[in-house]
Structure formats: C-alpha cells, structure tokens
Amino acid sequence: MPDNAQITASYGRRYTVRTQSGLTFDATTRKKRVDFACGDWVHITPINREQAVIEDYLPRESLLYRQDAWKTKLIAANVDKLFIVTAAVPAPNEALLQRALLAAEAADIEAVIVVNKADLPETAGWREKLHFYESLGYPVIETCALDHADALKPLMQGCTNIFLGQSGMGKSTLTNALLGSQTARVGEISTALDSGKHTTTHARLYDINAETKLIDSPGLQEFGLFHLEAPRLLDYFPDMRHLAGQCRFHNCTHRAEPGCAVKSAVEAGEIRESRLAFLQRITDELLR
C-alpha cells in the first residue's frame, strides 16, 4: 500500500523522499515522468529499505516554476515564501528579480528580497534601486551571510521557504548559516566572469526547525515566464493591478492601442516608464 512522503531533493529523474515517520528512500518514477518538484508530497511504494517508486503527487498548495519557448522547469512545490537572494557583487540582474517577483505573484507565493553581502561598499547603489520594490510592499532584508543570517529566521518561521537567485549571491552560504552546519555545498566566485560558479546543482529541502523548512535551489541566470497569460499580467504588478480591466480593449498590449489605462497612468506620472517597458516586454514574449 502506498505511503505518503515529501521530496527533499530532486536530481532530474531521481529523487530523495522522506516519509512522515522519518524514513528516507532513493526514489524513481514510473515511466519517464519528470513532473515532480522538491517540496512535493507524493504517494510512494517502497521496494526495499532504501528504494521506492513515486506513484503520484498529492494536491499542491503552490508550484513555483519557469518556462521558456522550449521547456518547463519545476523549481519547488508547496512553498509559502520566496526569498530572492541578491548581492551587489557579482553584478545583480534586476530583470531576473523582476521576473521572479512576477512568478511569485502568479503562484500566490509571498516574496522577500534579500540583499546579501551587505558589508560590501557596492551595496549602497543596489540598495537604492531596491527602494522602489520596497515601496511596492516587498520586504527587503540585509544580510551578511554568517553574521546576519538570523535576521531571516522570524520571516521564515512556520513556513516552507525557498532561496532563489543568481549563482554567486551566497544562497548556499546563507543556508549553511541558518542550519548551523556546512551542509550545502559552497563554491568560489569567478571574478573573471563576474558570476558565481554553480554550487548548488539540484534543489534540496532542509529543516531549519520542526516547523520551518528551507529549499536551496540552483543558481539562475534567466527566468522564463511563458506559463503566464498576457491578459492577466497586470494582476501580477502591485503598482498596476488597480488598472486591470480599465483598458478599452481586453487584449491591450499597452503600446499603440487607444484608451490604454496603463499608458495614461504613465503619462500622468503615476506609473514608472521603466515598469511600462517591462510590462510591454513580457507581453510581447507571451504573444509571440
């Protein structure tokens, strides 16, 4: 008879699962299914003391994933909070931050922005840019890995959380600091490429305490949003969602159409031009 277990690590078509009684199995899926994610609760059939087969997943409370024109990549399931880990060095990718925030809004996952390596002199300029996102209601927390990681614990308590961001931003170092052990693998930053070496290759779930979980995910350079629907995009922009349904045309691309509520708000100085440009860019991607 199948047991219930949670996926605690995802390795492509192989998984580590843990039952509610604490038993751990190496698990595979029937046929070639890959539509499971770290954090999923699944039905398993144990084969022996070490191996099991995943039969199916239980209903999800949330699913965070990215999709481009060619493939869909599941990131994590049943996540309550997304911590987008950034730092001034290596050079932060603001577009990735914007896209991750949209994905969180679409999945109804609470988002928090982390400014790691806050002791670096370059942080001041990046922190200034983040004031805008803070004004939209996203908490911005400054950390310095081993020294200030505990500042995240009150926000994480009682939730399933995930660290997401570019490589080299210190996600695994923060994870280790929160766990109090060198569990997550950490690599060096490649200064020649101004990017981090990939240190986490697969999503893995850790227990911060009995009520709090943390998923450390691989570094991202891009975040495809092909799974979103263009007509619903405004719902995912906190600064523009009040304009949803106010354009003259329901399929407005917010460019040359007459009666565009978003363009009118930009002209009136109520919405930033850069936000309109970002909205147009994503709309164009989805309508190709």
Side-chain angles (χ1 to χ4, degrees):
M1 183 174 178
D3 295 328
N4 290 347
Q6 186 171 33
I7 294 177
T8 58
S10 170
Y11 308 96
R13 291 176 181 170
R14 290 182 52 251
Y15 304 87
T16 301
V17 300
R18 183 176 62 192
T19 66
Q20 290 170 308
S21 61
L23 297 176
T24 300
F25 296 92
D26 290 326
T28 55
T29 62
R30 295 209 180 274
K31 300 181 181 178
K32 292 185 178 181
R33 288 188 60 177
V34 292
D35 54 344
F36 300 100
C38 188
D40 260 326
W41 283 95
V42 293
H43 290 306
I44 63 166
T45 299
I47 299 172
N48 51 44
R49 292 184 178 181
E50 297 178 350
Q51 297 174 304
V53 173
I54 296 175
E55 306 289 352
D56 204 353
Y57 59 80
L58 280 66
R60 293 163 168 154
E61 294 182 8
S62 65
L63 179 63
L64 183 66
Y65 66 104
R66 56 194 177 100
Q67 181 179 352
D68 58 25
W70 301 277
K71 63 182 179 180
T72 298
K73 178 69 174 177
L74 303 188
I75 299 173
N78 300 313
V79 170
D80 302 303
K81 289 187 179 181
L82 166 62
F83 288 77
I84 306 169
V85 182
T86 72
V89 177
N93 184 340
E94 189 172 0
L96 182 68
L97 169 64
Q98 291 176 316
R99 287 168 175 268
L101 290 173
L102 279 192
E105 292 283 353
D108 198 24
I109 296 171
E110 188 177 340
V112 178
I113 301 170
V114 178
V115 180
N116 197 25
K117 311 179 190 180
D119 57 332
L120 295 177
E122 296 91 343
T123 297
W126 177 235
R127 188 66 180 83
E128 187 67 29
K129 279 191 174 183
L130 294 178
H131 285 321
F132 170 69
Y133 300 98
E134 205 166 16
S135 74
L136 298 181
Y138 299 112
V140 177
I141 307 298
E142 294 187 16
T143 60
C144 190
L146 298 173
D147 293 334
H148 299 101
D150 284 351
L152 300 174
K153 283 188 175 180
L155 290 171
M156 292 182 162
Q157 181 60 34
C159 299
T160 296
N161 310 277
I162 183 169
F163 281 164
L164 184 143
Q166 296 165 250
S167 297
M169 294 293 162
K171 298 187 301 297
S172 294
T173 303
L174 279 173
T175 300
N176 288 333
L178 289 164
L179 293 172
S181 63
Q182 294 296 312
T183 305
R185 288 173 297 169
V186 179
E188 298 176 354
I189 294 173
S190 170
T191 52
L193 296 175
D194 192 25
S195 64
K197 293 180 181 178
H198 288 272
T199 56
T200 301
T201 55
H202 305 285
R204 182 178 288 273
L205 182 147
Y206 300 97
D207 295 319
I208 300 296
N209 56 46
E211 302 86 27
T212 310
K213 299 175 182 180
L214 172 61
I215 297 174
D216 186 21
S217 67
L220 298 177
Q221 302 306 323
E222 297 180 348
F223 202 118
L225 295 170
F226 274 62
H227 56 293
L228 303 187
E229 299 176 13
R232 292 205 59 193
L233 276 181
L234 284 181
D235 292 332
Y236 311 140
F237 284 75
D239 47 336
M240 293 191 244
R241 59 169 57 111
H242 64 288
L243 300 173
Q246 294 190 28
C247 294
R248 183 181 302 176
F249 302 104
H250 76 279
N251 59 346
C252 186
T253 63
H254 317 295
R255 286 193 179 275
E257 297 91 341
C260 174
V262 179
K263 289 184 66 177
S264 296
V266 171
E267 291 165 2
E270 299 167 7
I271 303 292
R272 287 188 173 196
E273 286 189 19
S274 60
R275 292 289 278 175
L276 172 60
F278 177 55
L279 172 65
Q280 291 171 338
R281 194 156 58 247
I282 301 301
T283 300
D284 288 349
E285 287 181 18
L286 300 181
L287 294 179
R288 275 179 192 163

